[in-house]
Every structure is written in structure tokens, then in C-alpha cells.
Amino acid sequence: MTDSRDLAWPPAPIKTERLVLRESEAGDRAVVIELNASPEVSTYLGGPRPRAELERTVPEVPGQRPGFFVVELDGAAIGTVLLDPHEPELPGNRREAGGTGLGYLFLPEAWGQGYATEACAAALDWFAGALPGEPVVLYTQTANVRSMRLAAKLGFTEVERFEAYGAEQWFGVWPSVAPLA
Ligand SMILES: CC(C)(COP(=O)(O)OP(=O)(O)OC[C@H]1O[C@@H](n2cnc3c(N)ncnc32)[C@H](O)[C@@H]1OP(=O)(O)O)[C@@H](O)C(=O)NCCC(=O)NCCS
């Protein structure tokens, strides 16, 4: 089974109507810390992490791995979109599901303007071209209404709902279309 580890990385920056998706660089450390320390961003992701711990542990260039995109608006980072190998050994993750998992974190001041949809759609489009036919999976809490709406807009379809971490979780899949043989 292939996954995001098989991606040719980094790609040329991906430009959308309003945004640029690119690999991470040293200047992105502050926004990665902010995203993980923000109580609003991490409400449905296990809660914020202490800023002091993040200052200690986040590397100088964060997210240096295939599938980690920083999203820029007018030259400023507003969030991250991640295409990571699906980890079936994590509690709550579906063992039978393979492939690649989608994740997204945006600064609260950038919510409500369609940026997450625009960025994730571009990342999925790029991914489908890079690894045709490789499905993308998504986990999100059903209480995370913004994330649920985003998943639907991106074309994810529900596989199942289940309880984990004391909350109802939603598990969906995005079927990248396989090339014609
Ligand atoms: C999940 C998350 C990325 C969604 O962000 P978002 O801004 O709501 O998502 P979208 O980009 O789809 O924006 C949709 C909103 O923009 C509005 N919008 C405004 N201008 C728009 C435009 N030009 N195009 C599209 N939508 C636009 C839409 O009407 C919609 O508004 P609504 O929230 O009132 O329905 C964000 O809430 C977040 O980072 N949450 C914390 C992290 C998290 O929980 N991640 C999930 C687990 S991986």
C-alpha cells in the first residue's frame, strides 16, 4: 500500500485563487506553535498544549515531511494542511483503513472565509495527481461542526461514527479516482 511517504516532495508551491500552499520553512515555527497552543483551534483535538512545552519541542523548521503544507494568504501563514500516513495503531483509528489521512488547522481569525475549503481542495487535487487511486481518510469529532461541514464540502463520505476519547467521532473517506488501466 502506498501513502504520503511515497510522495515526491516538495512539490512546487500550489497556487489557488487566494492562497499558496508550500512546504514549511523556519519562519513558520511561530504559527505552528500558535495553532497548537490555541484553545479555539484545539477544542476538538484534545485541548491546547502548553506554550512553554511547544517552544521547547517544535523544531526550528516544523513539519518537514511529505504532505505537510503551510497555507499562506498574502504572504502570511494562516494554517496547515496535512496529508499523513494513516496510523491504525492509534486509539480510535480504524485498523482496516489504510492510506493517507487529511488534517487541517487554521488560525481562528482566518475562519469563516472559505480558506480551509480552498486549501484542502487544492491539496487533495494535487494528491490525486501524485498518487492516483489512493484513498484519503478523515477523522473528526461530530461536535466539530465547522470540520464536519468542511468534510462534506470536500466530498468525504461517511464510513461510520464511533466513540473514542469520550466523544463521538466521524470517520470518512475521499475516493481518489484510479487512473484508467
Ligand atoms: C475546521 C476548520 C479548518 C474550518 O474552518 P472554516 O473557516 O469554517 O472552513 P471553510 O474554509 O470551509 O469556511 C467556511 C465558511 O466560510 C464562508 N465563506 C466566506 N467567504 C467564502 C468564500 N469566498 N468561499 C467559500 N466560503 C466562504 C462560508 O460561508 C462558511 O461560513 P460558515 O462558517 O458561516 O458556514 C477550522 O474551524 C479549524 O481550523 N478548526 C480547528 C482545527 C480542527 O478542529 N481541525 C479538524 C481536525 S483535523
Side-chain angles (χ1 to χ4, degrees):
M1 166 94 58
T2 55
D3 62 33
S4 58
R5 283 170 290 217
D6 301 303
L7 292 167
W9 191 261
I14 300 170
K15 295 193 171 85
T16 68
E17 207 181 315
R18 298 177 293 177
L19 307 169
V20 176
L21 281 70
R22 55 160 176 79
E23 69 169 327
S24 61
E25 45 192 54
D28 300 321
R29 190 170 185 271
V31 78
V32 167
I33 291 176
E34 186 56 37
L35 289 167
N36 286 281
S38 159
E40 271 176 289
V41 174
S42 51
T43 303
Y44 303 104
L45 304 172
R49 292 186 32 214
R51 207 172 272 276
E53 178 200 308
L54 291 163
E55 290 289 356
R56 246 189 355 262
T57 55
V58 173
E60 198 179 323
V61 183
Q64 279 190 298
R65 59 179 192 269
F68 187 108
F69 286 105
V70 171
V71 181
E72 262 185 11
L73 170 70
D74 298 331
I78 59 165
T80 54
V81 172
L82 322 170
L83 286 159
D84 276 327
H86 174 252
E87 305 285 0
E89 64 279 4
L90 289 183
N93 278 10
R94 306 289 86 183
R95 289 190 186 287
E96 65 283 7
T100 297
L102 176 69
Y104 34 77
L105 304 171
F106 282 75
L107 294 172
E109 53 269 33
W111 296 2
Q113 292 164 85
Y115 295 140
T117 304
E118 189 170 320
C120 291
L124 288 170
D125 188 50
W126 168 80
F127 183 81
L131 294 179
E134 169 74 9
V136 179
V137 300
L138 173 65
Y139 294 90
T140 188
Q141 283 191 25
T142 53
N144 193 348
V145 174
R146 283 186 174 277
S147 181
M148 290 287 288
R149 281 205 294 261
L150 175 55
K153 276 184 283 187
L154 292 172
F156 280 84
T157 53
E158 179 173 330
V159 177
E160 63 173 329
R161 296 175 185 223
F162 60 96
E163 288 289 322
Y165 307 107
E168 187 182 54
Q169 310 288 331
W170 188 88
F171 173 57
V173 67
W174 182 82
S176 168
V177 176
L180 293 173

